[in-house]
Amino acid sequence: MALNTLRDLYVEQLRDLYSAENQILKSLPKMAEAAKHPELRQAFEAHVTLTEEHVRRLDQIFTDLDEKGSGHHCKGMEGLLKEANDTVKEKGDSDVLDAAMIANAQRVEHYEMAGYGCVRTYARMLGREQDATLIQQTLDEEGATDEQLTTLAERVINIDAMRDM
Amino acid sequence: MALNTLRDLYVEQLRDLYSAENQILKSLPKMAEAAKHPELRQAFEAHVTLTEEHVRRLDQIFTDLDEKGSGHHCKGMEGLLKEANDTVKEKGDSDVLDAAMIANAQRVEHYEMAGYGCVRTYARMLGREQDATLIQQTLDEEGATDEQLTTLAERVINIDAMRDM
């Protein structure tokens, strides 16, 4: 698709995020299963529900735009989830591997924060306030997830990983 | 490499960032060449100098750790730069394509912010204050670059892209 207008870019970026969210949905159960700390497993499991809600919001936006959400594969998220998948298979101490999974998950969150930040700006410029409100909700939730992971790492998991030295 | 200790994870994550920075160094000239707005071209060109400094800081940290920086390929950054490379080749209006390149670049910055945030935390836990100071400098510069790109998008490039509708 040629990017002739800001609306074209808006739709393409939404499709990129739609692909990213759907790829995350497939990876989260594997990450939850590999997590040793119950708090981390629960965080990944809770993020499945949140991600499903993010997909629903994107579906709503695509319906309002009269556009399809499918047809784009997010190569960025593919790379980030390859890293996460490598960690799941990696050998070592389980506390350290949990810390590594958090590092992967925070890269995933940051990708989404960057992406949703861009589409929120485009939505506002295009006068699509309803879309912008939905996008802002997702953006806030991705930011909160990132902070939650930082707290979990700094207060529990990294400390346990340090004990194994 | 098995991740048996937090130090193992620290070294692996530093290598991931080392690979990421070196991949970015290869892509930035193509992105600068493709940019239509002189402000964006200059931002990418200035980021080459900054990225070289980030590589030097990592070299310093590896020397102090008595570890090699090479030997890890960052698959996350590979995916993000594939996206950026696709945008460089994409057809469309040049203002819209500049806006798309900013969206790619902000994903790259966010990857680095997430990654350097993790290694700064590990460095402090491991009592490596000198490393943490160097990492914090890079982290601050990545954050400033991201803000600079947001300002450029919102004040100039997205507005030009809107005019083409």
Side-chain angles (χ1 to χ4, degrees):
Chain A
M1 184 175 89
L3 297 178
N4 293 316
T5 65
L6 192 68
R7 187 184 186 281
D8 293 342
L9 178 60
Y10 178 53
V11 172
E12 190 189 73
Q13 290 274 317
L14 287 168
R15 285 185 182 141
D16 180 81
L17 289 162
Y18 194 73
S19 164
E21 296 280 19
N22 280 295
Q23 289 183 57
I24 293 166
L25 270 183
K26 283 187 191 158
S27 287
L28 276 170
K30 279 181 268 179
M31 293 167 76
E33 200 188 327
K36 180 208 164 194
H37 284 81
E39 306 95 313
L40 184 58
R41 196 181 318 123
Q42 282 156 19
F44 287 147
E45 283 167 358
H47 206 64
V48 172
T49 315
L50 214 55
T51 306
E52 284 168 347
E53 180 58 28
H54 298 171
V55 170
R56 267 194 294 275
R57 284 185 196 135
L58 288 170
D59 275 327
Q60 178 64 50
I61 293 171
F62 285 120
T63 302
D64 293 346
L65 282 164
D66 199 19
E67 295 279 357
K68 274 190 188 171
S70 57
H72 178 94
H73 178 69
C74 177
K75 293 177 186 173
M77 190 51 67
E78 184 187 344
L80 298 177
L81 293 172
K82 271 185 194 168
E83 288 184 340
N85 203 37
D86 285 349
T87 302
V88 165
K89 293 178 192 162
E90 215 156 3
K91 299 219 181 306
D93 175 83
S94 56
D95 293 324
V96 178
L97 292 172
D98 275 6
M101 266 200 282
I102 289 189
N104 293 136
Q106 291 197 296
R107 282 159 165 83
V108 167
E109 288 311 308
H110 272 264
Y111 184 95
E112 296 190 282
M113 286 190 275
Y116 280 110
C118 288
V119 289
R120 179 205 45 196
T121 302
Y122 305 154
R124 285 182 184 155
M125 291 191 74
L126 294 165
R128 301 192 62 86
E129 286 305 325
Q130 261 191 312
D131 296 5
T133 302
L134 290 172
I135 293 163
Q136 187 64 52
Q137 284 171 10
T138 298
L139 195 49
D140 291 344
E141 286 164 6
E142 303 291 7
T145 299
D146 184 58
E147 281 176 29
Q148 189 194 356
L149 289 169
T150 297
T151 305
L152 186 55
E154 292 184 353
R155 295 204 186 151
V156 183
I157 295 178
N158 292 354
I159 296 166
D160 289 347
M162 264 298 277
R163 282 207 192 99
D164 302 309
M165 292 197 74
Chain B
M1 184 175 92
L3 297 178
N4 293 317
T5 65
L6 192 67
R7 187 184 187 280
D8 292 342
L9 178 60
Y10 179 53
V11 173
E12 188 189 74
Q13 290 274 318
L14 287 168
R15 285 185 182 141
D16 180 80
L17 290 162
Y18 194 72
S19 164
E21 296 281 18
N22 280 296
Q23 290 183 56
I24 293 165
L25 269 183
K26 282 187 192 159
S27 286
L28 276 170
K30 280 181 267 179
M31 292 166 76
E33 200 188 327
K36 181 209 162 194
H37 285 81
E39 305 95 315
L40 184 58
R41 195 181 319 124
Q42 282 156 20
F44 287 146
E45 284 167 356
H47 205 64
V48 172
T49 314
L50 215 54
T51 305
E52 285 168 346
E53 181 58 28
H54 298 170
V55 171
R56 266 193 296 273
R57 284 186 196 135
L58 288 171
D59 275 327
Q60 178 64 50
I61 292 171
F62 286 120
T63 302
D64 294 347
L65 282 164
D66 199 19
E67 295 278 359
K68 273 190 189 172
S70 57
H72 178 95
H73 178 69
C74 177
K75 293 179 186 173
M77 190 52 67
E78 184 187 344
L80 298 177
L81 293 172
K82 270 184 193 168
E83 288 185 340
N85 203 35
D86 285 350
T87 302
V88 165
K89 292 178 193 163
E90 214 156 4
K91 298 217 182 308
D93 175 84
S94 57
D95 293 324
V96 178
L97 292 171
D98 275 5
M101 267 201 282
I102 288 189
N104 294 137
Q106 290 197 296
R107 283 159 164 82
V108 168
E109 288 310 308
H110 272 264
Y111 184 95
E112 295 190 282
M113 286 190 275
Y116 280 111
C118 288
V119 290
R120 179 205 46 196
T121 301
Y122 306 154
R124 285 183 183 155
M125 292 191 72
L126 295 165
R128 300 193 62 86
E129 286 305 324
Q130 261 191 314
D131 295 6
T133 302
L134 289 172
I135 292 164
Q136 187 63 52
Q137 284 171 10
T138 298
L139 194 51
D140 291 343
E141 286 165 6
E142 302 292 7
T145 300
D146 184 57
E147 280 175 30
Q148 188 194 357
L149 289 170
T150 296
T151 305
L152 186 55
E154 292 184 354
R155 295 204 187 151
V156 183
I157 295 178
N158 292 354
I159 294 165
D160 289 347
M162 266 296 279
R163 282 208 193 97
D164 302 310
M165 293 196 75

